[in-house]
Amino acid sequence: MQIPGVLEARLRLQLEGEYDEFAEACSRPPRTSYRVNTLKASIDDVTSVFDSEPVPWSHTGFYTEARVGDSIEHFQGLLYVQESASMLAAEVLDPVECDCVLDLTAAPGSKTTQMAAMMKNEGCIVANELDSQRLKTLRFNLNRMGVVNTVVSNVDGARFRSKMRFDRVLLDAPCSNLGQLRENPEALKSWSEGNVRRCAGVQRKLMDVAASFLKKDGVLVYSTCTFSPEENEAVVDHAIRKHGLSCEGIGGEFKSRNGLLEWKGKRYGPEVENSVRIYPHENDTGGFFAAKLRR
Ligand code: SAM
Protein backbone atom coordinates (compact mmCIF):
# COMPACT_ATOMS: atom_id res chain seq x y z
CA MET A 1 0.00 0.00 0.00
CA GLN A 2 1.48 3.34 -1.09
CA ILE A 3 0.49 6.14 1.31
CA PRO A 4 0.82 9.54 -0.46
CA GLY A 5 3.66 11.75 0.81
CA VAL A 6 1.46 14.54 2.19
CA LEU A 7 -0.61 12.04 4.15
CA GLU A 8 2.47 10.19 5.39
CA ALA A 9 3.88 13.48 6.71
CA ARG A 10 0.64 14.21 8.57
CA LEU A 11 0.52 10.73 10.09
CA ARG A 12 4.19 10.84 11.11
CA LEU A 13 3.46 14.08 13.00
CA GLN A 14 0.57 12.41 14.87
CA LEU A 15 2.22 9.06 15.50
CA GLU A 16 5.46 10.24 17.12
CA GLY A 17 7.80 7.48 15.95
CA GLU A 18 5.20 4.72 15.45
CA TYR A 19 4.49 5.38 11.78
CA ASP A 20 6.16 2.14 10.59
CA GLU A 21 4.07 -0.01 12.98
CA PHE A 22 0.98 1.86 11.81
CA ALA A 23 1.79 1.33 8.10
CA GLU A 24 2.54 -2.37 8.68
CA ALA A 25 -0.81 -2.89 10.46
CA CYS A 26 -2.64 -1.08 7.63
CA SER A 27 -1.12 -3.46 5.09
CA ARG A 28 -2.69 -6.51 6.82
CA PRO A 29 -6.34 -7.51 6.32
CA PRO A 30 -8.52 -6.83 9.39
CA ARG A 31 -9.64 -9.52 11.82
CA THR A 32 -13.26 -10.55 11.40
CA SER A 33 -15.41 -9.41 14.28
CA TYR A 34 -19.11 -9.64 14.99
CA ARG A 35 -21.68 -8.74 17.60
CA VAL A 36 -24.17 -11.20 19.03
CA ASN A 37 -27.67 -9.80 18.57
CA THR A 38 -29.02 -10.27 22.08
CA LEU A 39 -32.54 -9.42 20.85
CA LYS A 40 -32.59 -12.82 19.15
CA ALA A 41 -29.91 -15.00 20.71
CA SER A 42 -27.79 -15.45 23.80
CA ILE A 43 -24.01 -15.08 23.72
CA ASP A 44 -23.73 -18.87 24.24
CA ASP A 45 -26.12 -19.60 21.35
CA VAL A 46 -23.71 -17.95 18.93
CA THR A 47 -20.26 -18.48 20.45
CA SER A 48 -20.99 -22.22 20.74
CA VAL A 49 -21.29 -22.33 16.94
CA PHE A 50 -18.26 -20.18 16.04
CA ASP A 51 -14.89 -20.41 17.74
CA SER A 52 -14.74 -16.86 19.16
CA GLU A 53 -12.64 -14.58 21.31
CA PRO A 54 -14.18 -11.57 23.14
CA VAL A 55 -13.61 -8.00 21.99
CA PRO A 56 -12.47 -6.55 25.36
CA TRP A 57 -14.35 -3.22 25.05
CA SER A 58 -17.70 -4.60 23.91
CA HIS A 59 -20.17 -6.67 25.94
CA THR A 60 -21.40 -8.56 22.89
CA GLY A 61 -18.46 -8.32 20.46
CA PHE A 62 -16.28 -11.25 19.36
CA TYR A 63 -13.41 -12.02 16.99
CA THR A 64 -13.54 -15.15 14.90
CA GLU A 65 -11.77 -16.79 11.99
CA ALA A 66 -15.05 -18.34 10.82
CA ARG A 67 -16.89 -16.91 7.80
CA VAL A 68 -19.74 -15.64 9.93
CA GLY A 69 -21.00 -13.30 7.20
CA ASP A 70 -21.96 -16.32 5.06
CA SER A 71 -23.66 -18.22 7.87
CA ILE A 72 -27.32 -19.04 8.46
CA GLU A 73 -26.97 -17.35 11.85
CA HIS A 74 -26.10 -14.10 10.04
CA PHE A 75 -29.08 -14.50 7.71
CA GLN A 76 -31.33 -15.09 10.73
CA GLY A 77 -30.07 -11.91 12.41
CA LEU A 78 -28.45 -13.68 15.36
CA LEU A 79 -25.26 -11.73 14.70
CA TYR A 80 -24.02 -8.58 12.97
CA VAL A 81 -20.58 -8.41 11.35
CA GLN A 82 -19.01 -5.20 12.64
CA GLU A 83 -15.49 -3.82 12.84
CA SER A 84 -14.38 -4.12 16.46
CA ALA A 85 -13.16 -0.54 17.08
CA SER A 86 -16.47 0.80 15.79
CA MET A 87 -18.28 -1.12 18.56
CA LEU A 88 -16.87 1.46 20.97
CA ALA A 89 -19.19 4.35 20.02
CA ALA A 90 -22.42 2.73 21.26
CA GLU A 91 -20.64 1.33 24.32
CA VAL A 92 -19.59 4.88 25.25
CA LEU A 93 -23.06 6.31 24.55
CA ASP A 94 -24.49 3.50 26.70
CA PRO A 95 -28.22 3.95 25.97
CA VAL A 96 -30.72 2.35 28.38
CA GLU A 97 -34.28 1.08 28.00
CA CYS A 98 -36.13 4.34 28.74
CA ASP A 99 -34.00 6.60 26.51
CA CYS A 100 -34.92 8.55 23.41
CA VAL A 101 -31.92 8.35 21.09
CA LEU A 102 -31.09 10.23 17.89
CA ASP A 103 -28.72 8.50 15.45
CA LEU A 104 -28.19 11.31 12.95
CA THR A 105 -26.14 9.46 10.28
CA ALA A 106 -27.23 5.89 10.75
CA ALA A 107 -26.78 3.65 7.68
CA PRO A 108 -26.05 0.78 7.37
CA GLY A 109 -27.13 0.48 11.00
CA SER A 110 -24.26 -1.24 12.82
CA LYS A 111 -24.58 1.12 15.74
CA THR A 112 -28.36 1.57 15.54
CA THR A 113 -28.85 -2.19 15.87
CA GLN A 114 -26.21 -2.32 18.62
CA MET A 115 -28.04 0.41 20.55
CA ALA A 116 -31.45 -1.22 20.02
CA ALA A 117 -30.07 -4.41 21.58
CA MET A 118 -28.57 -2.46 24.50
CA MET A 119 -32.01 -0.85 25.01
CA LYS A 120 -33.72 -4.27 24.85
CA ASN A 121 -35.90 -2.96 22.02
CA GLU A 122 -37.50 -0.43 24.39
CA GLY A 123 -37.41 3.37 24.49
CA CYS A 124 -37.07 4.96 21.08
CA ILE A 125 -34.40 5.49 18.44
CA VAL A 126 -34.76 7.93 15.53
CA ALA A 127 -32.31 6.74 12.87
CA ASN A 128 -31.67 9.29 10.13
CA GLU A 129 -29.77 8.80 6.88
CA LEU A 130 -29.33 11.07 3.86
CA ASP A 131 -28.57 8.46 1.19
CA SER A 132 -31.75 6.67 0.14
CA GLN A 133 -29.89 3.59 -1.17
CA ARG A 134 -28.09 3.22 2.15
CA LEU A 135 -31.40 3.80 3.93
CA LYS A 136 -32.65 0.58 2.29
CA THR A 137 -29.74 -1.31 3.82
CA LEU A 138 -30.49 0.30 7.18
CA ARG A 139 -34.12 -0.83 6.98
CA PHE A 140 -33.03 -4.32 5.90
CA ASN A 141 -30.65 -4.60 8.87
CA LEU A 142 -33.26 -3.32 11.33
CA ASN A 143 -35.67 -6.00 10.07
CA ARG A 144 -33.04 -8.73 10.04
CA MET A 145 -32.05 -7.94 13.62
CA GLY A 146 -35.67 -7.79 14.86
CA VAL A 147 -35.46 -4.12 15.92
CA VAL A 148 -38.86 -2.59 16.73
CA ASN A 149 -37.94 0.51 18.78
CA THR A 150 -36.57 2.48 15.81
CA VAL A 151 -38.13 4.84 13.30
CA VAL A 152 -36.18 5.90 10.24
CA SER A 153 -35.91 9.31 8.64
CA ASN A 154 -34.38 10.24 5.27
CA VAL A 155 -33.18 13.86 5.35
CA ASP A 156 -29.91 15.75 5.30
CA GLY A 157 -28.90 15.61 8.97
CA ALA A 158 -27.98 19.31 8.78
CA ARG A 159 -31.69 19.99 8.11
CA PHE A 160 -33.11 17.46 10.56
CA ARG A 161 -36.12 18.92 12.41
CA SER A 162 -38.15 17.49 15.30
CA LYS A 163 -40.13 18.66 18.31
CA MET A 164 -38.43 15.91 20.30
CA ARG A 165 -35.28 16.38 22.35
CA PHE A 166 -33.06 13.38 23.01
CA ASP A 167 -31.37 11.82 26.04
CA ARG A 168 -28.56 10.53 23.84
CA VAL A 169 -27.34 11.49 20.41
CA LEU A 170 -24.93 9.58 18.21
CA LEU A 171 -23.12 11.47 15.47
CA ASP A 172 -21.05 8.80 13.71
CA ALA A 173 -20.08 11.23 11.02
CA PRO A 174 -19.28 10.74 7.34
CA CYS A 175 -15.51 11.18 7.07
CA SER A 176 -12.40 10.57 4.98
CA ASN A 177 -12.45 6.91 6.12
CA LEU A 178 -8.71 6.41 6.62
CA GLY A 179 -9.40 4.15 9.58
CA GLN A 180 -10.83 1.62 7.14
CA LEU A 181 -7.63 1.25 5.10
CA ARG A 182 -7.22 -2.38 6.14
CA GLU A 183 -10.51 -3.44 4.58
CA ASN A 184 -10.67 -0.73 1.93
CA PRO A 185 -7.27 0.46 0.62
CA GLU A 186 -9.25 2.38 -2.04
CA ALA A 187 -9.90 5.05 0.65
CA LEU A 188 -6.39 6.30 -0.19
CA LYS A 189 -7.48 7.21 -3.72
CA SER A 190 -10.10 9.69 -2.56
CA TRP A 191 -7.90 11.16 0.20
CA SER A 192 -6.84 14.79 -0.25
CA GLU A 193 -6.50 17.79 2.04
CA GLY A 194 -9.40 19.34 0.12
CA ASN A 195 -11.61 16.35 0.93
CA VAL A 196 -10.61 16.57 4.60
CA ARG A 197 -11.71 20.24 4.62
CA ARG A 198 -14.98 19.35 2.86
CA CYS A 199 -15.72 16.57 5.38
CA ALA A 200 -14.87 18.91 8.28
CA GLY A 201 -17.40 21.47 6.99
CA VAL A 202 -20.16 18.83 6.81
CA GLN A 203 -19.23 17.48 10.25
CA ARG A 204 -19.53 20.92 11.89
CA LYS A 205 -22.98 21.45 10.41
CA LEU A 206 -24.07 18.00 11.58
CA MET A 207 -22.59 18.71 15.02
CA ASP A 208 -24.61 21.95 15.27
CA VAL A 209 -27.82 20.00 14.71
CA ALA A 210 -26.81 17.04 16.90
CA ALA A 211 -25.98 19.37 19.81
CA SER A 212 -29.19 21.37 19.41
CA PHE A 213 -31.33 18.24 19.95
CA LEU A 214 -29.55 17.13 23.13
CA LYS A 215 -31.50 17.41 26.40
CA LYS A 216 -29.92 18.95 29.50
CA ASP A 217 -27.55 16.36 31.02
CA GLY A 218 -27.84 14.36 27.80
CA VAL A 219 -24.83 12.62 26.22
CA LEU A 220 -23.65 13.04 22.64
CA VAL A 221 -21.01 10.71 21.20
CA TYR A 222 -19.12 12.05 18.22
CA SER A 223 -17.17 9.42 16.29
CA THR A 224 -15.37 8.97 12.99
CA CYS A 225 -13.23 6.28 11.43
CA THR A 226 -10.45 8.64 10.42
CA PHE A 227 -7.36 10.36 11.81
CA SER A 228 -7.52 13.98 10.58
CA PRO A 229 -7.61 16.43 13.52
CA GLU A 230 -9.71 18.77 11.32
CA GLU A 231 -12.43 16.06 11.28
CA ASN A 232 -11.97 15.02 14.90
CA GLU A 233 -10.61 17.31 17.62
CA ALA A 234 -11.54 20.49 15.71
CA VAL A 235 -15.21 19.38 15.55
CA VAL A 236 -15.20 18.50 19.26
CA ASP A 237 -13.59 21.86 20.08
CA HIS A 238 -16.32 23.56 18.01
CA ALA A 239 -19.04 21.70 19.99
CA ILE A 240 -17.51 22.78 23.30
CA ARG A 241 -17.06 26.43 22.32
CA LYS A 242 -20.26 26.99 20.34
CA HIS A 243 -22.71 24.77 22.24
CA GLY A 244 -21.23 24.81 25.74
CA LEU A 245 -20.90 21.01 25.90
CA SER A 246 -18.30 19.41 28.12
CA CYS A 247 -16.03 16.58 26.98
CA GLU A 248 -15.69 13.64 29.39
CA GLY A 249 -13.07 10.91 29.64
CA ILE A 250 -13.57 7.52 27.99
CA GLY A 251 -12.21 4.45 29.73
CA GLY A 252 -12.01 0.85 28.62
CA GLU A 253 -9.82 -2.12 27.91
CA PHE A 254 -8.12 -0.79 24.81
CA LYS A 255 -4.94 1.08 23.95
CA SER A 256 -5.55 4.59 22.73
CA ARG A 257 -4.10 8.06 22.59
CA ASN A 258 -5.64 11.23 23.93
CA GLY A 259 -7.13 13.78 21.59
CA LEU A 260 -4.58 16.22 20.20
CA LEU A 261 -4.45 19.71 21.70
CA GLU A 262 -2.81 21.36 18.72
CA TRP A 263 -2.66 20.82 14.99
CA LYS A 264 -1.02 22.97 12.35
CA GLY A 265 -0.90 26.06 14.59
CA LYS A 266 -4.51 25.71 15.84
CA ARG A 267 -4.89 25.10 19.57
CA TYR A 268 -7.90 23.26 20.97
CA GLY A 269 -9.39 23.63 24.48
CA PRO A 270 -7.96 21.38 27.23
CA GLU A 271 -11.07 19.13 27.47
CA VAL A 272 -10.51 17.93 23.89
CA GLU A 273 -7.72 15.77 25.31
CA ASN A 274 -10.46 13.54 26.84
CA SER A 275 -11.39 12.23 23.39
CA VAL A 276 -9.69 9.03 22.19
CA ARG A 277 -7.76 8.18 19.03
CA ILE A 278 -7.38 4.50 18.20
CA TYR A 279 -4.75 3.54 15.62
CA PRO A 280 -4.79 0.13 13.87
CA HIS A 281 -1.46 -1.13 15.26
CA GLU A 282 -2.47 -0.55 18.90
CA ASN A 283 -5.28 -3.11 19.24
CA ASP A 284 -5.12 -4.81 15.81
CA THR A 285 -8.33 -3.03 14.72
CA GLY A 286 -9.44 -0.38 12.28
CA GLY A 287 -8.78 3.25 13.14
CA PHE A 288 -11.34 5.16 15.20
CA PHE A 289 -11.93 8.43 17.01
CA ALA A 290 -14.55 9.04 19.72
CA ALA A 291 -15.54 11.87 22.04
CA LYS A 292 -18.14 11.81 24.81
CA LEU A 293 -19.87 15.18 25.14
CA ARG A 294 -22.43 16.23 27.73
CA ARG A 295 -24.83 19.18 27.89
N1 SAM B 1 -23.39 4.81 12.01
C1 SAM B 1 -23.35 3.97 10.83
C2 SAM B 1 -23.12 2.55 11.26
O1 SAM B 1 -22.57 2.32 12.33
O2 SAM B 1 -23.52 1.65 10.50
C3 SAM B 1 -22.25 4.42 9.88
C4 SAM B 1 -22.41 5.84 9.46
S1 SAM B 1 -21.30 6.31 8.18
C5 SAM B 1 -19.84 6.60 9.06
C6 SAM B 1 -21.89 7.91 7.81
C7 SAM B 1 -23.24 7.91 7.15
O3 SAM B 1 -23.67 9.27 7.04
C8 SAM B 1 -23.28 7.36 5.73
O4 SAM B 1 -24.26 6.38 5.63
C9 SAM B 1 -23.63 8.55 4.86
O5 SAM B 1 -24.44 8.23 3.75
C10 SAM B 1 -24.39 9.41 5.85
N2 SAM B 1 -24.43 10.85 5.56
C11 SAM B 1 -23.54 11.60 4.86
N3 SAM B 1 -23.91 12.89 4.87
C12 SAM B 1 -25.05 12.96 5.59
C13 SAM B 1 -25.93 14.02 5.96
N4 SAM B 1 -25.68 15.28 5.58
N5 SAM B 1 -27.02 13.74 6.69
C14 SAM B 1 -27.28 12.46 7.09
N6 SAM B 1 -26.50 11.41 6.77
C15 SAM B 1 -25.40 11.66 6.03
Side-chain angles (χ1 to χ4, degrees), residues 165-189:
R165 292 293 176 271
F166 296 86
D167 303 291
R168 300 185 203 240
V169 176
L170 176 63
L171 175 51
D172 185 40
C175 68
S176 56
N177 287 329
L178 282 184
Q180 294 184 344
L181 280 183
R182 293 178 71 174
E183 58 204 88
N184 176 25
E186 295 288 300
L188 279 181
K189 288 194 182 150

Side-chain angles (χ1 to χ4, degrees), residues 24-95:
E24 189 278 323
C26 288
S27 69
R28 280 185 278 120
R31 299 174 79 184
T32 300
S33 47
Y34 71 90
R35 257 188 315 101
V36 174
N37 178 18
T38 50
L39 296 178
K40 287 193 170 185
S42 69
I43 301 267
D44 273 359
D45 288 340
V46 180
T47 55
S48 60
V49 179
F50 305 108
D51 205 9
S52 302
E53 184 192 323
V55 173
W57 52 89
S58 165
H59 292 95
T60 52
F62 293 87
Y63 292 109
T64 186
E65 295 195 356
R67 294 173 56 125
V68 282
D70 297 335
S71 67
I72 186 76
E73 288 78 7
H74 178 267
F75 179 72
Q76 291 171 320
L78 309 191
L79 62 90
Y80 192 110
V81 177
Q82 182 176 354
E83 201 287 311
S84 60
S86 94
M87 295 175 190
L88 186 64
E91 295 284 344
V92 173
L93 191 62
D94 198 21

Side-chain angles (χ1 to χ4, degrees), residues 13-14 16 227-230 232-238 240-241 247 257-277 279 289:
L13 260 181
Q14 292 168 25
E16 296 162 353
F227 309 115
S228 330
E230 297 90 331
N232 292 330
E233 287 88 345
V235 181
V236 174
D237 190 58
H238 170 79
I240 295 170
R241 286 178 201 269
C247 183
R257 294 167 180 235
N258 293 341
L260 300 174
L261 287 179
E262 185 176 2
W263 181 248
K264 300 212 162 187
K266 293 222 167 78
R267 291 195 65 80
Y268 308 127
E271 283 183 49
V272 173
E273 199 170 28
N274 289 331
S275 47
V276 292
R277 301 187 142 250
Y279 290 100
F289 173 89

Side-chain angles (χ1 to χ4, degrees), residues 80 82 86 103-112 128-131 134 155-158 170 172-175 177 180 202 206 223-225:
Y80 192 110
Q82 182 176 354
S86 94
D103 187 354
L104 195 58
T105 51
S110 322
K111 300 174 190 77
T112 321
N128 178 66
E129 167 62 40
L130 172 64
D131 182 320
R134 289 176 67 90
V155 296
D156 178 350
L170 176 63
D172 185 40
C175 68
N177 287 329
Q180 294 184 344
V202 172
L206 290 169
S223 56
T224 72
C225 57

